[in-house]
Amino acid sequence: MGHPHKALRTATNSAVSAALLAGTVFALSPAAPAAADQPGVRFVDIHGDGGTVLKANVVTPADADGTRRYPVIVLPTSWATPQIQYLAQAAKLADSGYVVVSYNVRGFWQSGGNIEVAGPPDVADASKVIDWALAHTPADPSKIGMAGMSYGAGISLLAAAHDSRVKAVAALSGWADIPASIYGGRTEHLQAAALLGGTGYVTGSPSPELKQFMKDFLGGVDLAKEDEMIAWGRKRSPAAYVDRINRNGAAIMLGNAWGDTIFPPNQYAEFYERLTGPKRLEFRPGDHATAEMTGLLGLPNDTWTSARRWMDHYLKGDDNGVDREAPVRIKSRSEGGYESYPDWKSVGADTRKFELDGTKKIRANVDSGANGGVTVLSNTLDQFLKVPPMASIPLLPRWFAAVWQSERYDSEQHIRGTAKLHTTVTSTKESGTLVAYLYDVGPLGLGKLISNAPYTFHGQTPGRPFTVDMELYSTAYDVPAGHHLALVVDTVDPLYIEHNPSGAKLTFSSPADDPSYVSVPLREK
């Protein structure tokens, strides 16, 4: 199933991974000495599942004198980050009356064991850390919370499913569904997987199981192993245990970025809708963990402020109003403040379609110039500089890209939620990959990427039309007056592994009895 050029792409992206890792570690380093010197900070060893030593630190309130107990927050570290990651936030939490225990998850840095990718040992470790906190700190056993970014977020959600003592969770830039995150659209998310795999090898000790998984995944999933791979991911997905989370009743706050190229927002929103207890969902501009990053340095940060309010109410009992606010809060990538909604469905309740008329034929195996950018980097530029990936729509080669354009809009259009593509495809081969992009196109034809998503098919009969229904990644974006939308579909994107056999061609059509269209969620300002 693989192509020879994929090995080169994998190697290239591994180099990108190493560079990104260096940036992450150096970004955290300045906070460490100052935080480590603060009174009340202890560095300890905690014995996790099977006796594995987990390196940890504990921060207690300054007035702790053994006469009272405090709510406790457990913070598992993110993937590939050292145990000092949360010290700045831990100090703030301790100042406001929390015991905070942060630990380096197994397999990374100085902690023992192997990287299990939020497997059963990691979930058991979380419970062991709670046991330790109750035995060795003035922690209140009835007021236990967990929080974290990325890897720490996923482990916190899994712990809430398996340990009923966890009463509140703040899961930031995490995942609910691993297969939907890195194998969404039945397509391997190459750069995301290479980033995780590369940083894991540099900063930790991958388990034999993880090594084999990464080898199989980055080489292009063998369909004979596809079910096994998906089962591996689901075992590590909070969405698989949502009934347990609901039964245990923990208050769950989820925060993520619109442009998260590792854990896209759709899977978080779908998980949120299935929760039945106290819950909150927040989406902001940025990429993976970038919305929370300044908070790790002790700087003002909306996401960490929101997480702290969540814990203050559900662990300390503060009447701060968080339980009476609309539970879904989003911020547009363009500008403006936060918008509130009663649920996720209301975000994209109003939609408009633009028809994808005519028949368009493209050749596979060539990047048309339309692509989703570089994982973490491109959407971070969009977050801070409003510079998303761009393409000149008139100059895209129609041999390799199918292009449809809407009418120009007289007024600003506010895209909120999930755009959906419905079309009919005919392939000359039984397998293939297509990538859809939605652009905001200005008067000069320059397109700014609004959203994208991949779609891979297998087992189709060459020459026989079949229907494709796919969701693009959810977003909030404002299209200026005088601009229009463009949908572009091609077959190659550096973000993903493509499965187009050599010489493949795709035809997109719009049958009279089943017209092709893009459904765009638009709301009135």
Side-chain angles (χ1 to χ4, degrees), residues 117-406:
V117 195
D122 291 298
V123 179
D125 284 345
S127 291
K128 291 289 188 180
V129 172
I130 292 173
D131 292 343
W132 186 93
L134 296 178
H136 296 88
T137 75
D140 187 333
S142 67
K143 299 178 179 179
I144 298 170
M146 291 193 66
M149 293 167 51
S150 186
Y151 198 40
I155 290 175
S156 294
L157 289 172
L158 289 166
H162 291 84
D163 193 327
S164 61
R165 295 176 297 178
V166 178
K167 303 303 181 185
V169 172
L172 313 178
S173 289
W175 77 90
D177 189 327
I178 287 180
S181 296
I182 63 171
Y183 194 56
R186 210 177 177 186
T187 307
E188 300 91 340
H189 293 212
L190 173 64
Q191 289 187 17
L195 174 61
L196 295 173
T199 52
Y201 272 89
V202 171
T203 63
S205 174
S207 67
E209 186 181 28
L210 175 57
K211 290 178 181 179
Q212 186 61 50
F213 177 87
M214 293 304 299
K215 180 180 178 181
D216 293 341
F217 190 86
L218 291 175
V221 173
D222 182 345
L223 291 182
K225 296 182 178 180
E226 184 179 37
D227 289 344
E228 178 183 342
M229 183 205 73
I230 291 174
W232 181 91
R234 283 180 177 161
K235 185 177 182 179
R236 293 159 167 79
S237 297
Y241 310 100
V242 67
D243 290 343
R244 293 188 187 181
I245 295 175
N246 291 334
R247 185 168 60 250
N248 289 341
I252 306 294
M253 173 190 159
L254 305 172
N256 205 355
W258 293 120
D260 195 321
T261 44
I262 297 179
F263 304 129
N266 303 47
Q267 49 94 34
Y268 238 24
E270 292 171 6
F271 175 68
Y272 169 83
E273 287 289 88
R274 296 175 61 197
L275 294 170
T276 58
K279 60 182 179 178
R280 189 177 184 91
L281 177 67
E282 300 185 353
F283 284 131
R284 298 174 173 83
D287 205 308
H288 185 64
T290 63
E292 303 89 17
M293 189 60 70
T294 57
L296 296 182
L297 302 177
L299 301 174
N301 182 275
D302 286 354
T303 308
W304 281 104
T305 297
S306 198
R308 188 159 145 197
R309 290 183 66 229
W310 189 254
M311 294 295 182
D312 285 349
H313 179 75
Y314 286 103
L315 293 184
K316 294 172 68 176
D318 289 0
D319 185 16
N320 55 17
V322 72
D323 58 321
R324 297 185 295 274
E325 297 169 356
V328 177
R329 299 178 72 238
I330 68 172
K331 189 172 185 179
S332 170
R333 289 164 47 198
S334 303
E335 58 184 12
Y338 288 96
E339 301 168 4
S340 298
Y341 299 83
D343 50 40
W344 173 247
K345 293 178 182 178
S346 298
V347 175
D350 300 321
T351 61
R352 297 182 192 172
K353 294 181 181 179
F354 81 79
E355 303 297 327
L356 307 181
D357 296 327
T359 298
K360 300 183 186 295
K361 299 180 180 181
I362 62 173
R363 298 176 179 178
N365 310 117
V366 175
D367 189 341
S368 70
N371 63 67
V374 177
T375 190
V376 179
L377 177 61
S378 296
N379 290 324
T380 303
L381 291 175
D382 181 41
Q383 175 185 358
F384 293 107
L385 303 177
K386 309 302 181 195
V387 182
M390 299 182 189
S392 175
I393 304 304
L395 297 181
L396 290 176
R398 268 43 174 188
W399 283 107
F400 308 114
V403 180
W404 297 266
Q405 302 189 62
S406 74

Side-chain angles (χ1 to χ4, degrees), residues 435-446:
V435 186
Y437 310 88
L438 187 65
Y439 284 99
D440 159 25
V441 185
L444 299 179
L446 182 64

